[in-house]
Amino acid sequence: LAPGDDKRTSIVGLLLDVLSTPSEAVQRSVSNCLPRLLGPLADDRVYVEALLARLLGQLREGGPGGYGLRRGAAYGLSGAVKGLGIASLKGYGVLDSLKAMVEDKRDAQGREGSLQAFECLCEKLGRLFEPYVIHILPLLLQCFGDAAPQVRAAAEDAARSIMGQLSASGVKLVLPALLKGLEDSAWRTKQGSIQLLGAMAHCAPKQLGSCLPTIVPRLGGVLGDPHPKVAAAAKLALQEVGSVIRSPEMTALVPALLSAIAEPNASTRPCLDTLLATTFVNTIDAPSLALVVPVVHRGLRDRSGDTKKRAARIVGNMCSLTNDPKDMTPYVPLLMPELQKALLDPLPEVRATAARAMGSLLKGMGAAALGDLLPWLLSTLRSDGSSVERSGAAQGLAEVLSVLGEEHLAQLLPELFASATSKNPFVREGHLTLFKYLPLTMEQPFQQHLGEVLPLILDGLSDEVEGVRDAALAAGRCFVEAYARSCLPLLLPAVEAGLGGDNWRIRQSSLELCGELLFKVAGTSGKVKLDGGSDDEGVACAEFSAAIQEALGRERNADVLSKLYMARSDVQYVVRNTALHIWKTIVVNTPKTLQEILPALMAEVISALADPGEDRRLAAARCLGELVRKMGERVLHRMLPILRDTMSSPNSATRQGVCAGLKELLENVTRHQLTEYLSDILPPIQGALCDDDAAVREAAGAAFGVLFKGGAHGAVESVVPSLLNGLDSPGHASQSLEGLRVILSVRPQVFNGIVPKLLKQPVSSAGLRAIGTLAGTAASVLLHHIPAIMAACLTLSSSHTPTSTSAACCTSSDGHSNAAAPVAASPPDSRAEAAAEAALAVALAADEDSIHCLLAELLKALEDVTGRALGAARLLAAYAKVTRQDLQPHVDELITALVLLLAEDADSLALAAWQACDALAATIPKDQQAGHTTALKEALAGAREKERRKRRSGVLHLHGLLLPPKALGPFVPIYLQGVLQGSSPEVREAAAEGLGELVVLTSEEGLKPFVVAITGPLIRIIGDRFPPETKAAILATLGLLIRRAGPGLKPFVPQLQTTFLKCLNDPAPAVRATAADNLGDLTRLSARLDQLVCDLASNAATTADREIAAAYLKALRGALRASGERLTPATLGSVQAQLLQLYGTLSGKPAATNGGVDPQSAALVQAMAQYCAAAGPGGLTAVLSAGPLGPAGISGSKEARELGSMLLAAVAGAAAEGLEEAGQLRSAVEAAVKATRDTELASVKVAGGRAVVRLYHAHRNTGPALVSALTTLLGPDQAAEVQRQAMLSLHKLTVADEAALQPHLGALVPSICSILQREPNSQVKAAAEQLLKHALQLSNGLEVGQAAAALAGGTTKLFLTDAYLRRLQKLPDDDWVEAEEY
């Protein structure tokens, strides 16, 4: 028909009328005709709207025939929409009208009709309708719970039709909305979603496979919903899924599957049993999998291991039953994690089944199912979890590798080998466990890698971790089980190597593997029970031995049996027991077998006896002993030739083993057998004693000891003399010496007879070297020979000066090399060098019982300065460096003796003594050094006195402390520890004084390296609360350092200055005095001198305590004396003002008391005198004018005369040379003479006498007047103290200048002699005698004294007889000190 033909509309009208026919076939045919007819009429909108309105109206028809009309209208509407085009659904409001009808709660027929329209539209339009499905799903969900049953039925039909037409994209579009509906709180929504999900069972097969894996588990989840209708809907939905199953076997299983899904706790196990019992002829489809997988998944998650095992078996079979393996793809992510968990199950059966299931799954699914499984297996294999997890991973990996194939295994093996030797034990265990399972899954492919794996297994057998050892043993057993016959030549050497392992666990494991291997070859299980009986009685039969020999060959069989027999003597009981079991199982006749394998057994025993491993040596020894004891005469005649011939082997280890074998043989033979075979035994032992290899000699010595104990005493008589004779042969000396040493190691008493022969005069170098070599071996009998050996060795070594650097250079304990002073080298003496080496060897060999004797001999030798002292000192130096003996109890004695040698003039001896001191000091632990302070101080005092007696004049230095540059190295640490850690104040004081002695006794060059090391600690501890004596000693040492070290102390000047200033206020006079002296000397190094001097002067003038003020004045005097020329005029002016102010204050106070001179006054005049020397003529005039030459000076009050005379005497001593320049000399002389004539105060006379002497010393032209004054002081009318002090002053003058009094002897000598004749006072008399001795220059002869006596005449001549002068000449010089120092 033409598009505009009127017949079209009439035909369409007729067909619409036919739709009322209650036949679905008629209605469907009409629906099929309408699209072609209505297509051309689409442009007539009025007609189309009327047509659609008619059809939509018929969807609401009720009445008796209403269902047919509604059904026909639905078919007609679908055909019309298809003819008009999909756009008509919205263009003419069809979809909106249908939605409105569905939502009309009052019209049940309209709801039913609209749902039928949705069903027909979906069927007619197919996938074109998919975009609208998502919009009508909420309507369907509502209608599933409709009150009218016909509406619910229409909703179900519509759902089936819609789901059957969905494409894959449609499923993805619809499914999330339905699944979300399951979570809705309204039960009707849940119910509708469930019903729609159930309807999805009618999807196309392809879509069904993708949606059911998601739907069924969710439906199973809502089976337990609290609302019964929801649960019932879920059950019906699942039944609907089951209804589409096509497999006959699975159809029968649907009730069981649904029951397991509905009641998993009660029905999972029976359902799994049913599945396993079912024989499948047909494949299973996607719906079947959808029901089976949830049950299997629940089984894999069950607590019961049996249930998990059944579920894993089903998973393994599923891939082979599916028509298309891709049907399993959606379930792999669900099942694989559970299989992985089952793979780590504690039950081995579950792990094994899970591993096989994993392999089957991978085999059926291909590489797509692998995912990250392989990395997970490798990671678990290397994890630090339980061994169960690693074992499961190993099983799974073995199954996976069997599926992946040989090529993949070859690629992975290098990584597996590397991990099998990992430092982490759990990694090693996991990979060794993998090697256990690979032969089970890949027997043939893995066989070619067996050679690479076996060493790893053997290493694992010796692992320190038990789990690794167990894994290695299990793998080894699997190898034996799988490859015993096919790879015997490969397995047996590896197992044999383990039989000789150092670790008993390796031996035990290797023995078990060897037994299983031999049992396999012999055709027996080896599981026999052996109770009691002889070791020679077994349960084997000849067929076993024959089978093993046939498989291995005669020689290899002998080797294996030899190792097995030796294992019967292993040190570990479990190894012995296992070896005995294997031996009895495969050996029929033990004696016969031993006779057959004796050569191989002896070779094995000899090799084991020379093995470095102790266990193997002991096993070989026991084996040989057992062999000799049991078989005796039957084997000795064969064993000895084997041992003798083997002794000529070029392999030293073999020779060592022969000697060890001889030792064991000798320990087990009877005395009769020893006598019979001695001629065969002794030659190899005697030859081995001189072997080139030390280990062979040691073993021969052990055999010799057993031979000696066994009664062959004649062996010593025949062996030792020949060895002694060999010492003189250059070619055999070393071997003979080693032979003797070996003999002594087993029979030290032989040394008693050797020493006298070696020391027989003349002693040879070879004999001395022999003593040194043998001493260590004969330490137990060395005690009685030490005196004789030391006497000979030290005498010889003292006569030799080494030419090596050890004599010309020494190394101090701080590691610095110290070059010694040149020493005349003597020609090398081999005997002397040998003696020194022998002495050191003997000293090192001395044990705790002999050390006292050794050190006593060394102390005696150190006293023999001209004989053995040099050798003893050198020996001590070498001995102390290497000995392990505790020398601390003897250090004090040794250091005392060595320090005394530092005063010897011989450079070599002094240097050797210093080296010994250095080595001994290095042995003293730091915390014990303080304990040796006193002994060291006394030793240095003795050495200093010894040095002083040798030197009448010059600086007193200790000779031994001048040779090495760092000569103080051994002593300074001891003293410093004494100061820092001394146990008592006395020790600390002695240590501080000792440091001062060291500063004095060494040169400035020798002191330089230690200035910082000494000064720093002393400064740090001076502030501690030490007794005054200790502080004074520390300060005295610091003062010596300032005077000796000079510029080297510049870094410490600020700290020292602060320290000394603080000590000036100390309560102890000794501390104040020493600090004042030090501060004065320190000013030479001080950069801020002016400020310091001003502070001292100010403090001296303002301090109320007279003693502390005296300390400041004393320090000020020292500063002016040391650095006065560096002071500025302003500073000098300030000092002058302060001093004159203080002088004015003190001039009204007595300067002398019954206890002596006031310290402040004495210090003041000394400071003022030093100021005069520093200030020049102006300052000198000012001071004298204000003092002794002033109006209140010598002629004033008692106090003024006292202080003025003291100041005059002090100025005469410090600044006498400047008096003439200042024009004050004459006045000073007159004042001094006047002071000597004071009629009231003896102290003024004493001061005047001192001033007279000092002025005369500086200005000889004042002699007559001054000598006259002195003669007056020596007169009989003067007090004894005045006379004594006058003579002391004259004595000091003569000490300074012998000829000073020569012109005035005629005036002075008679007065002195008069005093000597009448004075009973010992002090006055002693002063007079010393004065005469020096004034008459008696040290140079009697001539001056005789001349003076002749000149004086009278009683003086009679008194000064030659005899008396000679007596005076012999008087010792005393250290005279002024009574008052000012």
Side-chain angles (χ1 to χ4, degrees), residues 764-997:
S764 65
S765 300
L768 291 169
R769 290 193 180 91
I771 289 176
T773 303
L774 302 177
T777 311
S780 59
V781 296
L782 190 61
L783 175 62
H784 303 296
H785 303 288
I786 286 178
I789 294 174
M790 284 296 161
C793 291
L794 294 181
T795 300
L796 285 170
S797 62
S798 296
S799 63
H800 170 54
T801 301
T803 57
S804 65
T805 55
S806 61
C809 179
C810 55
T811 302
S812 63
S813 58
D814 59 5
H816 293 83
S817 179
N818 300 325
V823 179
S826 60
D829 186 348
S830 60
R831 287 203 311 160
E833 292 180 359
E837 295 170 0
L840 178 59
V842 170
L844 292 173
D847 53 17
E848 293 182 2
D849 298 329
S850 307
I851 191 70
H852 297 282
C853 178
L854 170 68
L855 295 179
E857 289 299 318
L858 290 177
L859 288 171
K860 288 180 185 178
L862 290 173
E863 295 174 1
D864 185 8
V865 176
T866 60
R868 297 174 292 159
L870 178 60
R874 288 173 178 164
L875 174 58
L876 267 175
Y879 177 66
K881 290 178 181 178
V882 295
T883 184
R884 295 185 179 179
Q885 294 285 352
D886 183 14
L887 298 178
Q888 299 314 303
H890 314 282
V891 166
D892 287 348
E893 295 178 276
L894 295 171
I895 283 188
T896 299
L898 291 168
V899 169
L900 288 175
L901 295 179
L902 295 178
E904 295 298 325
D905 292 332
D907 287 356
S908 58
L909 181 55
L911 185 59
W914 181 89
Q915 289 173 326
C917 288
D918 187 52
L920 273 176
T923 66
I924 305 174
K926 189 174 183 179
D927 57 346
Q928 298 181 25
Q929 288 178 334
H932 301 286
T933 299
T934 304
L936 177 58
K937 186 173 184 300
E938 292 175 355
L940 281 171
R944 182 186 60 196
E945 180 60 26
K946 186 176 179 181
E947 189 77 41
R948 191 185 67 80
R949 288 197 300 269
K950 295 190 298 179
R951 302 174 188 272
R952 290 294 180 184
S953 61
V955 181
L956 182 63
H957 288 158
L958 202 58
H959 180 63
L961 298 183
L962 302 178
L963 298 177
K966 294 194 176 183
L968 301 186
F971 313 115
V972 167
I974 296 176
Y975 279 144
L976 285 178
Q977 284 301 308
V979 173
L980 296 170
Q981 307 293 337
S983 58
S984 65
E986 291 77 11
V987 173
R988 294 177 184 267
E989 181 182 356
E993 292 175 351
L995 285 172
E997 290 178 354

Side-chain angles (χ1 to χ4, degrees), residues 625-684:
E626 179 185 1
L627 196 61
V628 172
R629 285 193 305 273
K630 285 187 175 182
M631 304 192 69
E633 298 291 344
R634 287 183 288 177
V635 295
L636 271 178
H637 69 283
R638 293 183 62 192
M639 290 172 61
L640 287 175
I642 294 174
L643 292 172
R644 183 185 63 239
D645 295 341
T646 312
M647 194 65 194
S648 59
S649 170
N651 190 336
S652 60
T654 303
R655 301 197 300 274
Q656 179 187 358
V658 171
C659 293
L662 286 169
K663 172 179 174 291
E664 297 302 326
L665 184 146
L666 290 169
E667 286 179 341
N668 290 280
V669 297
T670 63
R671 190 176 292 270
H672 171 73
Q673 290 171 338
L674 177 61
T675 305
E676 182 179 354
Y677 293 102
L678 182 61
S679 59
D680 294 326
I681 295 173
L682 188 57

Side-chain angles (χ1 to χ4, degrees), residues 342-692:
L343 202 59
L344 310 180
D345 195 85
L347 296 177
E349 298 87 352
V350 175
R351 295 198 302 272
T353 308
R356 288 193 292 272
M358 193 175 285
S360 299
L361 196 62
L362 183 62
K363 184 177 181 180
M365 298 294 298
L370 187 61
D372 60 350
L373 178 61
L374 191 59
W376 178 82
L377 289 171
L378 290 171
S379 175
T380 308
L381 195 66
R382 297 162 183 164
S383 69
D384 57 352
S386 68
S387 59
V388 169
E389 295 177 358
R390 292 189 290 273
S391 176
Q395 284 180 274
L397 184 58
E399 294 288 346
V400 169
L401 288 175
S402 69
V403 174
L404 294 177
E406 182 178 350
E407 183 178 349
H408 200 95
L409 174 65
Q411 293 175 356
L412 192 60
L413 274 179
E415 181 181 350
L416 298 179
F417 292 159
S419 298
T421 57
S422 170
K423 63 180 180 180
N424 295 323
F426 44 84
V427 177
R428 299 196 299 272
E429 178 191 344
H431 287 75
L432 290 174
T433 306
L434 174 62
F435 296 145
K436 167 186 173 182
Y437 294 111
L438 282 174
L440 304 178
T441 60
M442 306 180 70
E443 181 175 350
Q444 288 302 321
F446 189 65
Q447 180 175 337
Q448 59 183 321
H449 304 288
L450 203 58
E452 300 173 82
V453 179
L454 281 174
L456 301 176
I457 299 298
L458 291 178
D459 289 343
L461 292 175
S462 63
D463 200 277
E464 58 186 10
V465 180
E466 184 178 2
V468 180
R469 297 194 299 270
D470 293 343
L473 181 59
R477 284 174 172 161
C478 284
F479 289 174
V480 170
E481 183 69 25
Y483 306 113
R485 297 190 180 276
S486 60
C487 298
L488 182 61
L490 188 62
L491 287 174
L492 189 58
V495 173
E496 280 187 277
L499 293 177
D502 293 335
N503 191 304
W504 71 268
R505 293 185 176 91
I506 296 184
R507 300 196 299 274
Q508 168 67 11
S509 304
S510 300
L511 201 55
E512 292 180 6
L513 295 177
C514 181
E516 293 182 12
L517 195 59
L518 293 176
F519 296 156
K520 272 279 187 185
V521 173
T524 177
S525 66
K527 297 178 181 179
V528 294
K529 187 175 181 181
L530 304 173
D531 293 326
S534 169
D535 286 353
D536 298 335
E537 297 176 3
V539 295
C541 60
E543 289 79 5
F544 294 168
S545 299
I548 294 173
Q549 184 163 325
E550 181 181 355
L552 302 182
R554 180 180 296 275
E555 293 184 4
R556 195 59 184 277
N557 182 49
D559 292 338
V560 173
L561 291 178
S562 299
K563 290 180 172 64
L564 188 60
Y565 185 79
M566 197 172 77
R568 291 177 37 164
S569 303
D570 197 272
V571 294
Q572 291 292 332
Y573 171 77
V574 64
V575 180
R576 295 198 301 271
N577 200 35
T578 304
L580 182 61
H581 172 81
I582 298 171
W583 180 270
K584 286 187 172 184
T585 305
I586 62 175
V587 174
V588 180
N589 188 327
T590 296
K592 179 182 178 183
T593 303
L594 289 177
Q595 287 285 356
E596 293 174 353
I597 67 171
L598 186 61
L601 179 59
M602 288 302 299
E604 180 66 23
V605 167
I606 290 172
S607 173
L609 288 171
D611 194 271
E614 182 180 3
D615 287 359
R616 194 155 183 254
R617 292 200 305 270
L618 290 175
R622 289 182 178 183
C623 177
L624 188 61
E626 179 185 1
L627 196 61
V628 172
R629 285 193 305 273
K630 285 187 175 182
M631 304 192 69
E633 298 291 344
R634 287 183 288 177
V635 295
L636 271 178
H637 69 283
R638 293 183 62 192
M639 290 172 61
L640 287 175
I642 294 174
L643 292 172
R644 183 185 63 239
D645 295 341
T646 312
M647 194 65 194
S648 59
S649 170
N651 190 336
S652 60
T654 303
R655 301 197 300 274
Q656 179 187 358
V658 171
C659 293
L662 286 169
K663 172 179 174 291
E664 297 302 326
L665 184 146
L666 290 169
E667 286 179 341
N668 290 280
V669 297
T670 63
R671 190 176 292 270
H672 171 73
Q673 290 171 338
L674 177 61
T675 305
E676 182 179 354
Y677 293 102
L678 182 61
S679 59
D680 294 326
I681 295 173
L682 188 57
I685 294 178
Q686 185 171 358
L689 287 172
C690 299
D691 197 274
D692 294 333

